[in-house]
Amino acid sequence: MSDTLARPPFDPELVPFLDALAARGPFTVTTEMLPRMRQLDVPLDVVDERLRARGWERRSVSVPGHGGDPIDLAVIQRTDRSGPVPAVYTIHGGGMVFGHHLGNLDSYDDWLLEHDVVLVSVDYRLAPEHPDPTPVEDCYAGLVWVADHADELGIDPDRIVIAGQSAGGGLAAGTALLARDRTGPSLLAQVLVSPMLDDRDDTVSTRQIDGVGVADRAMTGFGWDAYLGDRRGTDSVLPAAAPARAQDLSGLPKTYIDCGSAEVFRDETVSYASGLWGAGVDAELHVWPGAFHGFTSMVPQSTIARRATAELAAWTRRLFADAAR
């Protein structure tokens, strides 16, 4: 990146976190680091204990993934649940290469878990061991299973929301495209938080966020290379893998989409929202000034993070209220 390339400033409340991160020295993801980066940061019994303390319980089901190979779904429900209730099918982030489907469950506290819902988190297989199309096809297969087992899960099949952040946001968008194109499960809405949508590395924001911030150009490039290999940046990449390539966004569900102004995915997020509007889709876009990638999880008490979470919570309340009418 050119030293003279201007970029939006980071929010002052977020700068101390970034300074502390920078003080640790340069961070580069390598293949050797991935096993550790795929582990939960707390034991599974601690995850379950935290859920129970908030009135939720978890179970795991094994379902057919891509090619019929088994994948796990975590099903998280209220202990005093009623039914049928909405389902929120969630896809974790991690650049297509790391992360855990039970990680960051507390990120749902302030916008989702105030509702009586069934939260289903898919343990999709990761690149580079499982490159495209396995991750998105695993996500789609899990979604089909959820819709087909709505009665068993106590969910309303007409109120299924798909949600993801970062790579999970890109996979959620790709899964929604597959559901539309295959006449698969009907989705009430999609929530795309700082989604990873474009493999081509040709936006202004990719050049601005290079060697700075969180999840910069090099880190996301590592993920795309692992996911797509030699096909990255070529015409052989399909929209389900990189949704920014979709020429037709019509027929997609109501969408909440957001990002930070100082993150690598900013321009592809704004472009995708514009494409949704151009196709007549009901989409709400937020670009949070001065925010870096993942700011709501990393600095949750900052003013900008509280604003972002509050807006998503308000949108979700309206969504469920409208759907219940």
Side-chain angles (χ1 to χ4, degrees):
M1 181 185 73
S2 168
D3 291 338
T4 61
L5 184 63
R7 61 164 174 79
F10 292 112
D11 181 282
E13 279 190 271
L14 304 183
V15 169
F17 177 90
L18 293 174
D19 288 345
L21 205 63
R24 301 178 188 176
F27 178 74
T28 302
V29 177
T30 66
T31 303
E32 292 71 28
M33 297 165 63
L34 296 181
R36 177 176 56 82
M37 297 175 75
R38 294 171 177 176
Q39 296 175 1
L40 273 174
D41 57 358
V42 297
L44 193 55
D45 60 344
V46 173
V47 172
D48 289 336
E49 181 180 335
R50 290 175 179 175
L51 286 170
R52 284 193 296 271
R54 300 199 300 266
W56 296 80
E57 59 186 3
R58 177 195 64 87
R59 63 188 175 94
S60 181
V61 295
S62 180
V63 307
H66 179 49
D69 296 323
I71 59 171
D72 287 336
L73 301 178
V75 179
I76 298 170
Q77 300 171 294
R78 281 188 174 181
T79 53
D80 61 347
R81 58 186 176 271
S82 59
V85 299
V88 181
Y89 184 79
T90 65
I91 305 175
H92 72 82
M96 311 290 186
V97 295
F98 62 88
H100 193 286
H101 71 299
L102 292 175
N104 294 323
L105 290 180
D106 55 357
S107 67
Y108 301 113
D109 282 356
D110 295 327
W111 69 272
L112 181 58
L113 297 187
E114 66 181 65
H115 303 280
D116 188 0
V117 299
V118 176
L119 177 66
V120 181
S121 184
V122 56
D123 187 16
Y124 63 92
R125 288 169 287 179
L126 297 165
E129 299 93 331
H130 302 283
D132 176 61
T134 296
V136 72
E137 291 287 359
D138 276 351
C139 293
Y140 179 73
L143 176 66
V144 170
W145 188 91
V146 168
D148 287 347
H149 293 76
D151 287 346
E152 173 188 332
L153 294 169
I155 67 172
D156 179 350
D158 294 324
R159 290 186 290 165
I160 299 176
V161 178
I162 192 168
Q165 180 178 11
S166 191
L171 288 166
T175 302
L177 287 168
L178 290 178
R180 179 200 65 180
D181 294 344
R182 296 174 180 176
T183 319
S186 176
L187 293 172
L188 175 65
Q190 58 179 346
V191 176
L192 311 177
V193 177
S194 296
M196 181 176 174
L197 300 167
D198 197 339
D199 64 298
R200 292 167 292 193
D201 190 34
D202 62 359
T203 66
V204 171
S205 59
T206 62
R207 296 190 295 275
Q208 289 176 320
I209 311 301
D210 190 352
V212 65
V214 175
D216 71 343
R217 186 182 194 178
M219 182 180 290
T220 57
F222 177 90
W224 282 120
D225 286 341
Y227 188 45
L228 298 174
D230 293 341
R231 294 187 299 119
R232 181 188 173 195
T234 70
D235 293 339
S236 64
V237 176
L238 298 176
R245 292 173 171 270
Q247 298 298 306
D248 177 14
L249 298 180
S250 63
L252 289 172
K254 184 173 184 176
T255 302
Y256 184 95
I257 183 168
D258 80 347
C259 63
S261 70
E263 73 160 291
V264 71
F265 299 137
R266 181 196 67 222
D267 292 348
E268 60 207 70
T269 299
V270 172
S271 179
Y272 202 71
S274 184
L276 289 167
W277 293 324
V281 176
D282 182 347
E284 181 169 326
L285 168 68
H286 293 271
V287 181
W288 299 105
F292 59 77
H293 187 71
F295 70 105
T296 55
S297 296
M298 297 180 190
V299 197
Q301 296 308 311
S302 63
T303 301
I304 196 70
R306 293 199 305 270
R307 284 180 57 199
T309 302
E311 286 296 334
L312 178 53
W315 181 88
T316 304
R317 283 192 293 271
R318 293 193 301 271
L319 175 74
F320 289 149
D322 291 344
R325 292 192 179 112

